[in-house]
mmCIF file of all heavy atoms in Angstrom:
data_model
loop_
_atom_site.group_PDB
_atom_site.id
_atom_site.type_symbol
_atom_site.label_atom_id
_atom_site.label_comp_id
_atom_site.label_asym_id
_atom_site.label_seq_id
_atom_site.Cartn_x
_atom_site.Cartn_y
_atom_site.Cartn_z
ATOM 1 N N SER A 29 -45.828 -40.558 22.972
ATOM 2 C CA SER A 29 -44.965 -39.676 22.199
ATOM 3 C C SER A 29 -43.645 -40.301 21.818
ATOM 4 O O SER A 29 -43.052 -39.936 20.819
ATOM 5 C CB SER A 29 -44.699 -38.384 22.991
ATOM 6 O OG SER A 29 -45.913 -37.715 23.219
ATOM 7 N N ILE A 30 -43.140 -41.208 22.632
ATOM 8 C CA ILE A 30 -41.832 -41.780 22.323
ATOM 9 C C ILE A 30 -41.857 -43.296 22.462
ATOM 10 O O ILE A 30 -40.841 -43.922 22.701
ATOM 11 C CB ILE A 30 -40.718 -41.194 23.222
ATOM 12 C CG1 ILE A 30 -41.079 -41.287 24.702
ATOM 13 C CG2 ILE A 30 -40.429 -39.768 22.868
ATOM 14 C CD1 ILE A 30 -39.968 -40.820 25.607
ATOM 15 N N ASP A 31 -43.033 -43.895 22.265
ATOM 16 C CA ASP A 31 -43.101 -45.341 22.434
ATOM 17 C C ASP A 31 -42.261 -46.075 21.396
ATOM 18 O O ASP A 31 -41.808 -47.171 21.640
ATOM 19 C CB ASP A 31 -44.552 -45.822 22.370
ATOM 20 C CG ASP A 31 -45.275 -45.388 21.114
ATOM 21 O OD1 ASP A 31 -44.748 -44.539 20.391
ATOM 22 O OD2 ASP A 31 -46.367 -45.909 20.869
ATOM 23 N N SER A 32 -42.002 -45.453 20.232
ATOM 24 C CA SER A 32 -41.194 -46.133 19.227
ATOM 25 C C SER A 32 -39.725 -46.135 19.593
ATOM 26 O O SER A 32 -38.919 -46.741 18.919
ATOM 27 C CB SER A 32 -41.356 -45.453 17.869
ATOM 28 O OG SER A 32 -40.910 -44.113 17.923
ATOM 29 N N HIS A 33 -39.366 -45.472 20.692
ATOM 30 C CA HIS A 33 -37.966 -45.412 21.094
ATOM 31 C C HIS A 33 -37.732 -46.189 22.386
ATOM 32 O O HIS A 33 -36.741 -45.993 23.072
ATOM 33 C CB HIS A 33 -37.527 -43.955 21.273
ATOM 34 C CG HIS A 33 -37.978 -43.102 20.134
ATOM 35 N ND1 HIS A 33 -37.488 -43.245 18.868
ATOM 36 C CD2 HIS A 33 -38.925 -42.138 20.062
ATOM 37 C CE1 HIS A 33 -38.091 -42.381 18.068
ATOM 38 N NE2 HIS A 33 -38.964 -41.713 18.765
ATOM 39 N N ALA A 34 -38.670 -47.042 22.728
ATOM 40 C CA ALA A 34 -38.526 -47.820 23.954
ATOM 41 C C ALA A 34 -37.332 -48.742 23.863
ATOM 42 O O ALA A 34 -36.937 -49.173 22.797
ATOM 43 C CB ALA A 34 -39.787 -48.652 24.192
ATOM 44 N N GLU A 35 -36.744 -49.047 25.007
ATOM 45 C CA GLU A 35 -35.611 -49.965 25.027
ATOM 46 C C GLU A 35 -36.078 -51.354 24.615
ATOM 47 O O GLU A 35 -37.127 -51.820 25.021
ATOM 48 C CB GLU A 35 -35.006 -50.037 26.432
ATOM 49 C CG GLU A 35 -34.300 -48.755 26.848
ATOM 50 C CD GLU A 35 -33.882 -48.808 28.277
ATOM 51 O OE1 GLU A 35 -34.769 -48.794 29.137
ATOM 52 O OE2 GLU A 35 -32.681 -48.874 28.549
ATOM 53 N N VAL A 36 -35.252 -52.005 23.814
ATOM 54 C CA VAL A 36 -35.553 -53.365 23.395
ATOM 55 C C VAL A 36 -34.407 -54.252 23.853
ATOM 56 O O VAL A 36 -33.324 -54.215 23.293
ATOM 57 C CB VAL A 36 -35.711 -53.459 21.860
ATOM 58 C CG1 VAL A 36 -35.971 -54.897 21.445
ATOM 59 C CG2 VAL A 36 -36.844 -52.564 21.397
ATOM 60 N N HIS A 37 -34.632 -54.995 24.898
ATOM 61 C CA HIS A 37 -33.630 -55.935 25.390
ATOM 62 C C HIS A 37 -34.327 -57.257 25.685
ATOM 63 O O HIS A 37 -35.467 -57.291 26.136
ATOM 64 C CB HIS A 37 -32.950 -55.420 26.666
ATOM 65 C CG HIS A 37 -32.084 -54.222 26.435
ATOM 66 N ND1 HIS A 37 -31.035 -54.234 25.544
ATOM 67 C CD2 HIS A 37 -32.119 -52.976 26.951
ATOM 68 C CE1 HIS A 37 -30.452 -53.047 25.540
ATOM 69 N NE2 HIS A 37 -31.104 -52.265 26.381
ATOM 70 N N VAL A 38 -33.604 -58.333 25.446
ATOM 71 C CA VAL A 38 -34.202 -59.631 25.687
ATOM 72 C C VAL A 38 -34.232 -59.925 27.168
ATOM 73 O O VAL A 38 -33.500 -59.348 27.952
ATOM 74 C CB VAL A 38 -33.408 -60.735 24.957
ATOM 75 C CG1 VAL A 38 -33.411 -60.489 23.468
ATOM 76 C CG2 VAL A 38 -31.982 -60.809 25.468
ATOM 77 N N ASN A 39 -35.080 -60.837 27.542
ATOM 78 C CA ASN A 39 -35.156 -61.301 28.914
ATOM 79 C C ASN A 39 -34.005 -62.268 29.155
ATOM 80 O O ASN A 39 -33.931 -63.330 28.565
ATOM 81 C CB ASN A 39 -36.500 -62.010 29.145
ATOM 82 C CG ASN A 39 -36.666 -62.452 30.584
ATOM 83 O OD1 ASN A 39 -35.716 -62.511 31.350
ATOM 84 N ND2 ASN A 39 -37.907 -62.757 30.946
ATOM 85 N N SER A 40 -33.089 -61.882 30.023
ATOM 86 C CA SER A 40 -31.883 -62.682 30.212
ATOM 87 C C SER A 40 -32.165 -64.033 30.847
ATOM 88 O O SER A 40 -31.311 -64.904 30.861
ATOM 89 C CB SER A 40 -30.884 -61.915 31.095
ATOM 90 O OG SER A 40 -31.439 -61.662 32.371
ATOM 91 N N THR A 41 -33.354 -64.232 31.380
ATOM 92 C CA THR A 41 -33.653 -65.524 32.008
ATOM 93 C C THR A 41 -34.321 -66.494 31.050
ATOM 94 O O THR A 41 -34.475 -67.667 31.357
ATOM 95 C CB THR A 41 -34.580 -65.315 33.226
ATOM 96 O OG1 THR A 41 -35.802 -64.737 32.783
ATOM 97 C CG2 THR A 41 -33.916 -64.402 34.252
ATOM 98 N N SER A 42 -34.734 -65.992 29.862
ATOM 99 C CA SER A 42 -35.455 -66.870 28.937
ATOM 100 C C SER A 42 -34.549 -67.304 27.796
ATOM 101 O O SER A 42 -34.754 -66.951 26.655
ATOM 102 C CB SER A 42 -36.693 -66.162 28.376
ATOM 103 O OG SER A 42 -36.303 -65.022 27.650
ATOM 104 N N LEU A 43 -33.488 -68.026 28.132
ATOM 105 C CA LEU A 43 -32.562 -68.499 27.120
ATOM 106 C C LEU A 43 -33.190 -69.655 26.357
ATOM 107 O O LEU A 43 -33.935 -70.458 26.903
ATOM 108 C CB LEU A 43 -31.253 -68.950 27.783
ATOM 109 C CG LEU A 43 -30.563 -67.866 28.634
ATOM 110 C CD1 LEU A 43 -29.333 -68.432 29.295
ATOM 111 C CD2 LEU A 43 -30.208 -66.679 27.766
ATOM 112 N N VAL A 44 -32.883 -69.711 25.057
ATOM 113 C CA VAL A 44 -33.505 -70.730 24.225
ATOM 114 C C VAL A 44 -32.452 -71.617 23.592
ATOM 115 O O VAL A 44 -31.323 -71.215 23.384
ATOM 116 C CB VAL A 44 -34.350 -70.072 23.102
ATOM 117 C CG1 VAL A 44 -35.486 -69.282 23.678
ATOM 118 C CG2 VAL A 44 -33.485 -69.190 22.206
ATOM 119 N N THR A 45 -32.823 -72.841 23.279
ATOM 120 C CA THR A 45 -31.961 -73.731 22.530
ATOM 121 C C THR A 45 -32.217 -73.492 21.055
ATOM 122 O O THR A 45 -33.331 -73.653 20.584
ATOM 123 C CB THR A 45 -32.254 -75.203 22.887
ATOM 124 O OG1 THR A 45 -32.061 -75.365 24.288
ATOM 125 C CG2 THR A 45 -31.327 -76.129 22.119
ATOM 126 N N LYS A 46 -31.168 -73.123 20.301
ATOM 127 C CA LYS A 46 -31.365 -72.690 18.925
ATOM 128 C C LYS A 46 -31.514 -73.860 17.970
ATOM 129 O O LYS A 46 -32.162 -73.760 16.951
ATOM 130 C CB LYS A 46 -30.189 -71.828 18.481
ATOM 131 C CG LYS A 46 -30.045 -70.549 19.260
ATOM 132 C CD LYS A 46 -28.846 -69.774 18.767
ATOM 133 C CE LYS A 46 -27.602 -70.611 18.930
ATOM 134 N NZ LYS A 46 -26.396 -70.001 18.407
ATOM 135 N N HIS A 47 -30.840 -74.959 18.235
ATOM 136 C CA HIS A 47 -30.859 -76.063 17.287
ATOM 137 C C HIS A 47 -30.292 -77.302 17.935
ATOM 138 O O HIS A 47 -29.640 -77.255 18.961
ATOM 139 C CB HIS A 47 -30.041 -75.718 16.039
ATOM 140 C CG HIS A 47 -28.705 -75.110 16.369
ATOM 141 N ND1 HIS A 47 -27.728 -75.786 17.066
ATOM 142 C CD2 HIS A 47 -28.219 -73.873 16.114
ATOM 143 C CE1 HIS A 47 -26.674 -75.006 17.213
ATOM 144 N NE2 HIS A 47 -26.945 -73.842 16.665
ATOM 145 N N SER A 48 -30.562 -78.395 17.318
ATOM 146 C CA SER A 48 -29.950 -79.648 17.744
ATOM 147 C C SER A 48 -28.520 -79.697 17.248
ATOM 148 O O SER A 48 -28.231 -79.400 16.102
ATOM 149 C CB SER A 48 -30.727 -80.841 17.168
ATOM 150 O OG SER A 48 -29.974 -82.017 17.306
ATOM 151 N N ARG A 49 -27.606 -80.121 18.085
ATOM 152 C CA ARG A 49 -26.196 -80.078 17.745
ATOM 153 C C ARG A 49 -25.762 -81.182 16.782
ATOM 154 O O ARG A 49 -24.601 -81.306 16.458
ATOM 155 C CB ARG A 49 -25.355 -80.155 19.022
ATOM 156 C CG ARG A 49 -25.239 -78.812 19.723
ATOM 157 C CD ARG A 49 -24.519 -77.843 18.841
ATOM 158 N NE ARG A 49 -24.494 -76.506 19.435
ATOM 159 C CZ ARG A 49 -24.052 -75.461 18.805
ATOM 160 N NH1 ARG A 49 -23.660 -75.556 17.565
ATOM 161 N NH2 ARG A 49 -24.039 -74.294 19.382
ATOM 162 N N THR A 50 -26.675 -82.001 16.333
ATOM 163 C CA THR A 50 -26.313 -83.012 15.338
ATOM 164 C C THR A 50 -26.933 -82.700 13.985
ATOM 165 O O THR A 50 -26.861 -83.488 13.061
ATOM 166 C CB THR A 50 -26.790 -84.406 15.785
ATOM 167 O OG1 THR A 50 -28.203 -84.380 15.968
ATOM 168 C CG2 THR A 50 -26.118 -84.815 17.083
ATOM 169 N N GLU A 51 -27.561 -81.525 13.885
ATOM 170 C CA GLU A 51 -28.292 -81.163 12.678
ATOM 171 C C GLU A 51 -27.345 -80.955 11.494
ATOM 172 O O GLU A 51 -26.229 -80.460 11.626
ATOM 173 C CB GLU A 51 -29.063 -79.856 12.948
ATOM 174 C CG GLU A 51 -29.964 -79.426 11.828
ATOM 175 C CD GLU A 51 -30.717 -78.175 12.200
ATOM 176 O OE1 GLU A 51 -30.590 -77.727 13.361
ATOM 177 O OE2 GLU A 51 -31.415 -77.630 11.338
ATOM 178 N N ILE A 52 -27.814 -81.347 10.291
ATOM 179 C CA ILE A 52 -27.087 -81.067 9.065
ATOM 180 C C ILE A 52 -27.769 -79.884 8.383
ATOM 181 O O ILE A 52 -28.983 -79.884 8.213
ATOM 182 C CB ILE A 52 -27.122 -82.273 8.099
ATOM 183 C CG1 ILE A 52 -26.486 -83.483 8.764
ATOM 184 C CG2 ILE A 52 -26.445 -81.930 6.782
ATOM 185 C CD1 ILE A 52 -24.985 -83.461 8.818
ATOM 186 N N VAL A 53 -27.002 -78.851 8.025
ATOM 187 C CA VAL A 53 -27.600 -77.693 7.373
ATOM 188 C C VAL A 53 -26.889 -77.444 6.056
ATOM 189 O O VAL A 53 -25.714 -77.751 5.893
ATOM 190 C CB VAL A 53 -27.506 -76.425 8.268
ATOM 191 C CG1 VAL A 53 -28.293 -76.622 9.536
ATOM 192 C CG2 VAL A 53 -26.056 -76.085 8.581
#
């Protein structure tokens, strides 16, 4: 009945590296 209102939070232990710090964009 309310599954579309479930909490959406990221897993605080699964941090990701977004990009290489020498990248040219």
Side-chain angles (χ1 to χ4, degrees):
S29 298
I30 52 176
D31 55 348
S32 62
H33 314 293
E35 291 173 291
V36 178
H37 292 302
V38 299
N39 183 344
S40 61
T41 61
S42 62
L43 303 177
V44 296
T45 302
K46 297 179 301 176
H47 46 63
S48 166
R49 279 297 175 187
T50 59
E51 185 178 355
I52 300 283
V53 297

